[in-house]
mmCIF file of all heavy atoms in Angstrom:
data_model
loop_
_atom_site.group_PDB
_atom_site.id
_atom_site.type_symbol
_atom_site.label_atom_id
_atom_site.label_comp_id
_atom_site.label_asym_id
_atom_site.label_seq_id
_atom_site.Cartn_x
_atom_site.Cartn_y
_atom_site.Cartn_z
ATOM 1 N N LEU A 135 125.542 98.510 99.900
ATOM 2 C CA LEU A 135 126.748 99.338 99.951
ATOM 3 C C LEU A 135 126.829 100.162 101.237
ATOM 4 O O LEU A 135 127.871 100.142 101.917
ATOM 5 C CB LEU A 135 126.828 100.227 98.711
ATOM 6 C CG LEU A 135 128.067 101.105 98.579
ATOM 7 C CD1 LEU A 135 129.346 100.299 98.750
ATOM 8 C CD2 LEU A 135 128.058 101.825 97.230
ATOM 9 N N PRO A 136 125.771 100.879 101.641
ATOM 10 C CA PRO A 136 125.895 101.609 102.912
ATOM 11 C C PRO A 136 126.102 100.696 104.110
ATOM 12 O O PRO A 136 126.845 101.042 105.037
ATOM 13 C CB PRO A 136 124.577 102.387 103.013
ATOM 14 C CG PRO A 136 123.667 101.822 101.992
ATOM 15 C CD PRO A 136 124.519 101.182 100.946
ATOM 16 N N GLU A 137 125.476 99.510 104.093
ATOM 17 C CA GLU A 137 125.659 98.573 105.203
ATOM 18 C C GLU A 137 127.093 98.074 105.259
ATOM 19 O O GLU A 137 127.680 97.945 106.345
ATOM 20 C CB GLU A 137 124.689 97.405 105.063
ATOM 21 C CG GLU A 137 124.885 96.287 106.077
ATOM 22 C CD GLU A 137 124.657 96.724 107.517
ATOM 23 O OE1 GLU A 137 123.965 97.738 107.735
ATOM 24 O OE2 GLU A 137 125.188 96.049 108.425
ATOM 25 N N ALA A 138 127.687 97.795 104.095
ATOM 26 C CA ALA A 138 129.074 97.314 104.066
ATOM 27 C C ALA A 138 130.024 98.356 104.655
ATOM 28 O O ALA A 138 130.895 98.031 105.477
ATOM 29 C CB ALA A 138 129.474 96.988 102.628
ATOM 30 N N VAL A 139 129.846 99.604 104.256
ATOM 31 C CA VAL A 139 130.747 100.660 104.740
ATOM 32 C C VAL A 139 130.487 100.953 106.215
ATOM 33 O O VAL A 139 131.422 101.087 107.013
ATOM 34 C CB VAL A 139 130.579 101.932 103.883
ATOM 35 C CG1 VAL A 139 131.408 103.077 104.461
ATOM 36 C CG2 VAL A 139 131.003 101.655 102.443
ATOM 37 N N ASP A 140 129.228 101.030 106.596
ATOM 38 C CA ASP A 140 128.908 101.351 107.990
ATOM 39 C C ASP A 140 129.369 100.255 108.935
ATOM 40 O O ASP A 140 129.889 100.530 110.021
ATOM 41 C CB ASP A 140 127.404 101.576 108.140
ATOM 42 C CG ASP A 140 127.031 102.006 109.546
ATOM 43 O OD1 ASP A 140 127.545 103.047 110.007
ATOM 44 O OD2 ASP A 140 126.240 101.299 110.199
ATOM 45 N N SER A 141 129.184 98.991 108.547
ATOM 46 C CA SER A 141 129.631 97.898 109.412
ATOM 47 C C SER A 141 131.148 97.893 109.542
ATOM 48 O O SER A 141 131.696 97.576 110.603
ATOM 49 C CB SER A 141 129.130 96.548 108.898
ATOM 50 O OG SER A 141 129.652 96.275 107.616
ATOM 51 N N PHE A 142 131.867 98.301 108.466
ATOM 52 C CA PHE A 142 133.320 98.419 108.552
ATOM 53 C C PHE A 142 133.708 99.497 109.560
ATOM 54 O O PHE A 142 134.591 99.289 110.403
ATOM 55 C CB PHE A 142 133.907 98.763 107.184
ATOM 56 C CG PHE A 142 135.315 99.293 107.255
ATOM 57 C CD1 PHE A 142 136.388 98.441 107.484
ATOM 58 C CD2 PHE A 142 135.560 100.656 107.132
ATOM 59 C CE1 PHE A 142 137.684 98.937 107.582
ATOM 60 C CE2 PHE A 142 136.850 101.159 107.221
ATOM 61 C CZ PHE A 142 137.907 100.301 107.448
ATOM 62 N N VAL A 143 133.058 100.654 109.479
ATOM 63 C CA VAL A 143 133.382 101.756 110.388
ATOM 64 C C VAL A 143 133.153 101.345 111.835
ATOM 65 O O VAL A 143 133.991 101.606 112.716
ATOM 66 C CB VAL A 143 132.539 103.007 110.041
ATOM 67 C CG1 VAL A 143 132.723 104.090 111.100
ATOM 68 C CG2 VAL A 143 132.929 103.544 108.669
ATOM 69 N N ARG A 144 132.057 100.674 112.121
ATOM 70 C CA ARG A 144 131.765 100.260 113.490
ATOM 71 C C ARG A 144 132.717 99.167 113.966
ATOM 72 O O ARG A 144 133.211 99.196 115.092
ATOM 73 C CB ARG A 144 130.307 99.800 113.585
ATOM 74 C CG ARG A 144 129.319 100.947 113.498
ATOM 75 C CD ARG A 144 127.872 100.524 113.664
ATOM 76 N NE ARG A 144 127.343 99.944 112.428
ATOM 77 C CZ ARG A 144 126.911 98.715 112.311
ATOM 78 N NH1 ARG A 144 126.944 97.899 113.345
ATOM 79 N NH2 ARG A 144 126.441 98.266 111.169
ATOM 80 N N THR A 145 132.980 98.196 113.089
ATOM 81 C CA THR A 145 133.866 97.083 113.481
ATOM 82 C C THR A 145 135.295 97.568 113.669
ATOM 83 O O THR A 145 136.010 97.074 114.545
ATOM 84 C CB THR A 145 133.812 95.966 112.418
ATOM 85 O OG1 THR A 145 132.460 95.594 112.187
ATOM 86 C CG2 THR A 145 134.603 94.750 112.863
ATOM 87 N N ARG A 146 135.710 98.533 112.853
ATOM 88 C CA ARG A 146 137.081 99.056 112.977
ATOM 89 C C ARG A 146 137.308 99.658 114.355
ATOM 90 O O ARG A 146 138.376 99.497 114.951
ATOM 91 C CB ARG A 146 137.324 100.110 111.888
ATOM 92 C CG ARG A 146 138.708 100.734 111.933
ATOM 93 C CD ARG A 146 138.928 101.696 110.804
ATOM 94 N NE ARG A 146 137.908 102.751 110.787
ATOM 95 C CZ ARG A 146 137.869 103.726 109.899
ATOM 96 N NH1 ARG A 146 138.776 103.772 108.931
ATOM 97 N NH2 ARG A 146 136.922 104.638 109.949
ATOM 98 N N TRP A 147 136.294 100.323 114.889
ATOM 99 C CA TRP A 147 136.455 100.911 116.234
ATOM 100 C C TRP A 147 136.666 99.816 117.272
ATOM 101 O O TRP A 147 137.524 99.913 118.137
ATOM 102 C CB TRP A 147 135.204 101.731 116.565
ATOM 103 C CG TRP A 147 135.322 102.441 117.881
ATOM 104 C CD1 TRP A 147 135.895 103.656 118.114
ATOM 105 C CD2 TRP A 147 134.874 101.963 119.156
ATOM 106 N NE1 TRP A 147 135.825 103.976 119.441
ATOM 107 C CE2 TRP A 147 135.196 102.947 120.112
ATOM 108 C CE3 TRP A 147 134.222 100.802 119.580
ATOM 109 C CZ2 TRP A 147 134.902 102.803 121.466
ATOM 110 C CZ3 TRP A 147 133.929 100.668 120.923
ATOM 111 C CH2 TRP A 147 134.266 101.649 121.856
#
Side-chain angles (χ1 to χ4, degrees):
L135 183 51
E137 174 63 22
V139 174
D140 184 59
S141 62
F142 163 76
V143 172
R144 288 183 281 118
T145 307
R146 179 177 56 180
W147 184 85

